[in-house]
């Protein structure tokens, strides 16, 4: 149902049109308006949530015939009638399908009123609170009830004033993004995605054919402050659109790889295994690195079946005043890419025209086919959990760092080493060998790099692949790391290169560097 879009601008005069007495009577608690906030603080509302307003009489012998409920901005002077409520987002009122007692008012904007003159003892109306992006902090819900043309009421018992909850949503990263990271080190992290979407935890309109259920590959990147993979309020880029609609990661992977840069953009491609029924609850792992430039990470994972819904996190900050974040677990809730219309998991879809921006799924939907029918975000159980933990810290040699920062990061390195115990059957299995970073030593002359080899796809005939190049040295120490995934040694990230790469020392003194590449799928 659409909310009211007509009505007269200005402060709503709730005096009943049938009133022969223009002064309201004293209520004395006979009639009241209440709102279920589902929280301990009854004066706080959460953004973009659905709340039930209840108008009621406390005396079964005293019904009311007429009513009006208005939602408005309390910051506006009550004496001013010449302003336009449509310029302020205060949410919207919704009448209920099963309730024929109410309609949208033609007299006032953002108001509902009685449909008939029948006696009423209880009326329910829904209020959908303003979007999270709205800056208004307070909202007033004001009601009028009338017993007859001579007796009607307004006032405190029929007025609720609310303040927006400014606490972070449950799926927000623990620290806000910072534009500059001053840590004199790099860090290696593991991220683990574990799905919790099931018929038991999310029973409403759960897919009738669960054998088709699944998550796409986990895909994302560690990146700089200026890089945005996705965020609420933006239009979905082609890569996210393809992922959300089809579960295909090839386009978004290419976007990430094309943005790789030492001085900006992305550093490491994050990729985890695809999990489908009946293995949806098995974790998906990935490793990535961060540094002073690329100190955030973002990732996404599509849910299937769904129109264009996905799970993920954006701009997760790992650089803190106390050093690299140790670990954190985050609940995940569905997002809507805004590219396909569809109300439920298995809805027939059509292209959204015009394309909408990325937003929460329609929690609080008034469509009974929705899995989120008349629900608050507080009612939802997480669809997945994301666990990120630091594995290693590598100090940067030769950088001009404050002594306190060096000491703190040295402690972090020791903690990371003591915690980095290899676990069986994890993906990928890490086998790390670390030596001093001394590639530019004058006593260690290096030859020029060879040309990059042809890009060989990691699987199939196209998509993400690996290519190599080599050079030779006479002596000296090198920093290198390899990891073993499904029995094969794979390349990782080397900070001196413009792409994710790693060196290793061969017996003949050769140094081999690998990097991610992409073979177009025609």
């Amino acid at each position: 149902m659409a909310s009211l879009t007509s009505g007269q601008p200005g402060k709503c005069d709730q005096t009943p049109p049938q009133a022969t007495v223009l002064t309201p009577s004293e209520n004395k608690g006979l009639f009241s308006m209440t709102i279920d906030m589902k929280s301990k603080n009854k004066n706080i509302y959460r953004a973009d949530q659905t709340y039930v307003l209840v108008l009621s009489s406390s005396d079964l012998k005293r019904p009311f015939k007429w009513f009006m409920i208005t939602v408005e901005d309390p910051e506006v002077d009550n004496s001013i009638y010449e302003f336009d409520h449509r310029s302020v987002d205060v949410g919207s009122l919704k009448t209920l399908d099963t309730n024929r007692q109410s309609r949208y008012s033609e007299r006032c904007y953002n108001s509902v009123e009685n449909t008939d003159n029948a006696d009423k003892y209880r009326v329910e109306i829904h209020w959908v609170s303003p979007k999270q992006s709205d800056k208004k902090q307070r909202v007033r819900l004001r009601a009028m009830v009338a017993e007859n043309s001579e007796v009607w009421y307004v006032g405190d018992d029929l007025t609720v004033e609310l303040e927006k909850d400014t606490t972070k949503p449950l799926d927000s990263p623990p620290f806000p993004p910072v534009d500059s990271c001053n840590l004199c080190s790099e860090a290696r992290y593991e991220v683990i995605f574990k799905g919790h979407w099931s018929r038991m935890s999310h029973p409403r309109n759960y897919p009738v054919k669960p054998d088709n259920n699944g998550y796409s590959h986990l895909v994302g990147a560690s990146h700089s402050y200026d890089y945005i993979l996705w965020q609420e309020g933006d239009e979905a880029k082609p890569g996210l659109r393809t992922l959300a609609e089809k579960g295909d990661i090839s386009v978004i992977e290419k976007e990430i790889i094309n943005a790789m840069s030492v001085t900006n953009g992305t550093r490491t491609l994050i990729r985890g295994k695809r999990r489908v029924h009946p293995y949806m609850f098995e974790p998906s792992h990935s490793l990535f690195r961060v540094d002073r430039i690329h100190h955030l990470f973002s990732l996404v994972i599509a849910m299937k079946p769904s129109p264009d819904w996905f799970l993920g996190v954006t701009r997760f900050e790992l650089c803190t005043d106390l050093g690299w974040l140790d670990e954190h677990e985050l609940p995940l809730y569905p997002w809507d890419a805004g590219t396909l219309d569809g109300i439920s998991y298995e809805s027939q879809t059509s292209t959204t025209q015009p394309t909408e921006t990325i937003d929460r799924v329609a929690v609080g939907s008034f469509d009974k086919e929705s899995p989120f029918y008349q629900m608050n975000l507080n009612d939802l159980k997480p669809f997945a959990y994301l666990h990120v933990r630091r594995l290693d810290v590598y100090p940067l040699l030769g950088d001009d760092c404050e002594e306190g920062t060096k000491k703190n990061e040295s402690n972090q390195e020791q903690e990371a080493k003591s915690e980095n115990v290899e676990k069986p059957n994890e993906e990928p299995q890490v086998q790390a060998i670390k030596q001093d970073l001394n590639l530019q030593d004058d006593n260690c002359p290096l030859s020029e790099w060879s040309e990059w080899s042809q890009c060989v796809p990691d699987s199939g005939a196209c998509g993400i692949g690996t290519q190599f190049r080599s050079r030779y040295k006479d002596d000296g120490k090198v920093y290198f790391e390899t990891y073993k995934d499904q029995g094969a040694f794979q390349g990782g990230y080397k900070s001196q290169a413009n792409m994710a790469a790693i060196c290793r020392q061969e017996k003949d003194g050769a140094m081999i560097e690998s990097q991610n590449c992409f073979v177009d799928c025609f």
Side-chain angles (χ1 to χ4, degrees), residues 46 132 165-176 328 330 360:
R46 296 190 67 185
Q132 182 69 36
D165 186 356
T166 56
T167 60
K168 296 187 300 183
L170 295 175
D171 56 352
S172 297
F175 296 97
H328 188 76
L330 204 65
R360 295 278 187 191

Side-chain angles (χ1 to χ4, degrees), residues 333-348:
Y333 302 91
W335 292 89
D336 187 330
T339 60
L340 291 180
D341 291 329
I343 194 64
S344 189
Y345 300 117
E346 299 173 294
S347 295
Q348 292 293 323

Side-chain angles (χ1 to χ4, degrees), residues 318-361:
L318 296 168
C319 179
T320 78
D321 291 339
L322 300 177
W324 295 109
L325 179 70
D326 183 18
E327 65 180 321
H328 188 76
E329 186 171 72
L330 204 65
L332 300 181
Y333 302 91
W335 292 89
D336 187 330
T339 60
L340 291 180
D341 291 329
I343 194 64
S344 189
Y345 300 117
E346 299 173 294
S347 295
Q348 292 293 323
T349 59
S350 60
T351 302
T352 303
Q353 295 291 344
T355 300
E356 297 178 353
T357 58
I358 299 168
D359 204 350
R360 295 278 187 191
V361 294

Side-chain angles (χ1 to χ4, degrees), residues 98-158:
T98 58
N99 189 343
R100 303 299 180 184
Q101 297 174 304
S102 60
R103 66 183 180 187
Y104 298 116
S105 173
E106 296 179 357
R107 293 192 293 135
C108 293
Y109 189 69
N110 267 347
S111 299
V112 296
E113 60 188 4
N114 55 282
T115 302
D116 54 39
N117 298 328
D119 289 345
K120 304 168 185 65
Y121 296 92
R122 178 185 173 93
V123 173
E124 289 189 2
I125 301 293
H126 281 184
W127 171 60
V128 180
S129 59
K131 295 279 188 180
Q132 182 69 36
S133 57
D134 187 77
K135 296 181 180 179
K136 300 305 296 181
Q137 296 296 309
R138 301 187 68 81
V139 169
R140 180 190 294 132
L141 296 151
R142 183 164 55 93
M144 176 279 299
V145 296
E147 293 187 81
N148 51 56
S149 60
E150 296 181 350
V151 183
W152 56 282
Y153 308 93
V154 293
D156 291 344
D157 290 332
L158 295 167

Side-chain angles (χ1 to χ4, degrees), residues 84-101:
D84 193 344
H85 275 292
R86 286 168 287 190
S87 64
V88 179
D89 182 8
V90 291
S92 57
L93 296 170
K94 309 271 187 178
T95 60
L96 302 180
D97 285 335
T98 58
N99 189 343
R100 303 299 180 184
Q101 297 174 304

